Amino acid sequence: MPSKPDEGEEIALRAHGLRRSDKPIACVIGGMDLLRALALGGIRSAVVAKDGDVSRYSRFTVAVLKARDPWSESEQLVDRLLRFAETQAERPVLYYDGDGSLLLVSRYRARLQEAFRFVVAERELVEELTDKARFRALSEKVGLPVPPSFVLSASDASAPSRSDLQFPLILKPRARPMARWRPLGRGAKAVKVESATALLQLWPRIAELGCDVVAQQLVPGPETSIESYHAYIDDEGEIVGDFTGRKIRTYPADYGYSTAVEVTAEDDVAEAGRDVLRRVDLRGVAKCDFKRGPDGQLYLLEINARFNLWHHPGARAGVNLPALVYSDLVGLPRKLAPPARAGVCWCALADDARATRQAGVPLRRWLWWALRCEAKWAFAWDDPMPFLRGVVGPRLSRLLRLPGRRRASDRPVPRAGG
């Protein structure tokens, strides 16, 4: 039974004029790109957001639930969601775009499904996909095309001396949240290790942080060699909609978070993605990340069973996966998704400007490209307040309050699915 609402939550709901409606609304535990994809499908949303989150200011946001951390305050967040659902005439459709919120929806599905409609992969599969050690075991079991990898425990007093480690390697945290990893990653999702000597030198820091890591054999090539497959698969195993994409830029340049991406039409990526999802028997939404090796072979890096930033450019390209999910869950007639329009791009303006500068791309050339970019994080001509109030306003406030002081860290805010 949900506990009594706290005063802060009630104020947040009243301030946004929440009213009952016959049409179910979306409830989004996620960011602006997911909200934008839903808006492009004509769907209004309630958002779970922290103070200052840009999604609060969207004209497509009809209610705000004050955020709780899905990792450490999962029970409180579930209670808050259930209290919100009680205010609705129709069960809302629940969306999630981070590993923490995916695990929350999966682990509390029995309670949540009484008040919400949602799609989520089978519970055991969710656990296997969000833990890189378990994902490695799953990959071996069903024959997924992943690079060789090994789990290294931070509890080991000395660096591993395994003879089967072939360098160079990349090290990634075994599981999220990323708090313990950040001092080592410095804004990147992985660290490259060139030799056994380099691993030996790095190991005391890994042991000190207490962060178990997965060592994966490096697939040569830049981040632009990472391509992805995106799909929504219904309960019967039918692919309702899908598309492919590739990274354009990340920040940092190596193993960083996406700052610019492009929808593509790569048949071999689509075929590989469909095969992977058949092998793991996934239902719901998914993203398969591949890296194309120098020989053209596609190596699977990970599978994410959640919504993500790619669904914004996907919607612009004609394949709106969140809207397709909504239609199925509320019983609307299913529309046949057309092939995605290749060439549609997405970027996060401030972060991509930094990535562009780091890559040595002339500012004038980037500005011309950014102006033509169809999807932008927090920026849209028909919904300007997230950018003006959520991005420009705080920066102007800091500049006026702290003249001459150095600006905040250049590290970008991670976006789900980057």
Side-chain angles (χ1 to χ4, degrees), residues 299-319:
Y299 295 88
L300 179 66
L301 303 181
E302 64 180 357
I303 306 171
N304 290 318
R306 52 178 167 77
F307 300 89
N308 55 74
L309 68 84
W310 278 95
H311 293 157
H312 182 185
R316 282 290 188 189
V319 182

Side-chain angles (χ1 to χ4, degrees), residues 342-415:
V344 172
C345 294
W346 167 95
C347 75
L349 289 168
D351 294 337
D352 198 41
R354 286 194 285 266
T356 300
R357 185 167 62 247
Q358 187 180 63
V361 177
L363 178 62
R364 182 181 300 177
R365 192 170 83 188
W366 174 78
L367 282 172
W368 177 243
W369 176 87
L371 284 172
R372 294 180 291 117
C373 189
E374 295 91 335
K376 302 176 183 69
W377 176 77
F379 182 91
W381 294 112
D382 65 342
D383 191 21
M385 287 300 108
F387 186 74
L388 294 177
R389 293 186 61 186
V391 179
V392 176
R395 295 188 182 198
L396 285 176
S397 178
R398 286 196 299 269
L399 288 173
L400 292 172
R401 189 168 59 248
L402 300 172
R405 293 285 298 274
R406 194 171 64 160
R407 296 178 68 177
S409 169
D410 279 346
R411 187 174 64 196
V413 177
R415 295 178 180 83

Side-chain angles (χ1 to χ4, degrees), residues 43-292:
I43 303 162
R44 63 199 188 106
S45 300
V47 299
V48 178
K50 297 178 181 178
D51 292 341
D53 191 295
V54 297
S55 62
R56 284 175 165 261
Y57 309 118
S58 172
R59 70 185 184 91
F60 299 102
T61 296
V62 297
V64 175
L65 285 73
K66 295 181 70 174
R68 295 281 190 182
D69 181 4
W71 297 102
S72 61
E73 298 181 303
S74 53
E75 289 278 357
Q76 296 94 322
L77 179 52
V78 170
D79 285 344
R80 179 158 292 179
L81 288 167
L82 293 175
R83 287 195 298 270
F84 166 74
E86 289 176 350
T87 70
Q88 298 299 291
E90 294 283 342
R91 284 190 302 156
V93 180
L94 186 61
Y95 293 86
Y96 45 90
D97 75 357
D99 281 356
S101 50
L102 163 64
L103 287 167
L104 178 136
V105 172
S106 177
R107 292 170 180 175
Y108 289 87
R109 66 180 70 200
R111 290 181 64 192
L112 290 170
Q113 66 188 5
E114 297 177 2
F116 291 92
R117 315 167 211 230
F118 54 87
V119 296
V120 67
E122 186 270 332
R123 177 173 179 143
E124 188 67 16
L125 180 58
V126 169
E127 300 291 334
E128 291 172 322
L129 298 182
T130 51
D131 183 318
K132 288 182 172 58
R134 297 187 64 177
F135 178 61
R136 173 179 174 269
L138 173 67
S139 300
E140 292 180 349
K141 177 182 177 182
V142 301
L144 301 180
V146 300
S149 61
F150 311 90
V151 180
L152 305 179
S153 174
S155 62
D156 292 343
S158 57
S161 57
R162 299 175 53 153
S163 60
D164 52 357
L165 292 177
Q166 297 185 25
F167 294 89
L169 299 170
I170 59 169
L171 303 183
K172 300 184 285 187
R174 172 176 173 172
R176 298 185 182 189
M178 303 282 281
R180 283 187 291 177
W181 171 259
R182 288 193 185 105
L184 190 65
R186 296 181 179 180
K189 293 185 283 187
V191 171
K192 184 179 178 180
V193 179
E194 295 281 2
S195 64
T197 300
L199 179 60
L200 181 65
Q201 294 171 344
L202 186 63
W203 194 254
R205 292 190 62 196
I206 295 174
E208 181 182 2
L209 293 172
C211 180
D212 289 355
V213 297
V214 172
Q216 189 173 78
Q217 191 170 319
L218 177 70
V219 179
E223 296 297 277
T224 51
S225 299
I226 295 180
E227 304 184 53
S228 51
Y229 172 72
H230 308 262
Y232 162 43
I233 301 171
D234 68 14
D235 288 340
E236 304 301 318
E238 179 182 351
I239 298 174
V240 183
D242 62 357
F243 64 93
T244 62
R246 72 175 183 92
K247 292 193 178 187
I248 298 176
R249 279 179 295 274
T250 66
Y251 189 84
D254 295 325
Y255 318 116
Y257 291 90
S258 297
T259 64
V261 303
E262 179 183 16
V263 174
T264 61
E266 296 295 335
D267 291 339
D268 62 338
V269 176
E271 183 179 347
R274 290 165 189 151
D275 180 64
V276 164
L277 297 184
R278 278 195 299 267
R279 288 174 183 265
V280 300
D281 196 26
L282 187 143
R283 301 290 187 272
V285 292
K287 174 171 78 83
C288 300
D289 275 340
F290 297 93
K291 188 167 185 180
R292 193 180 294 275

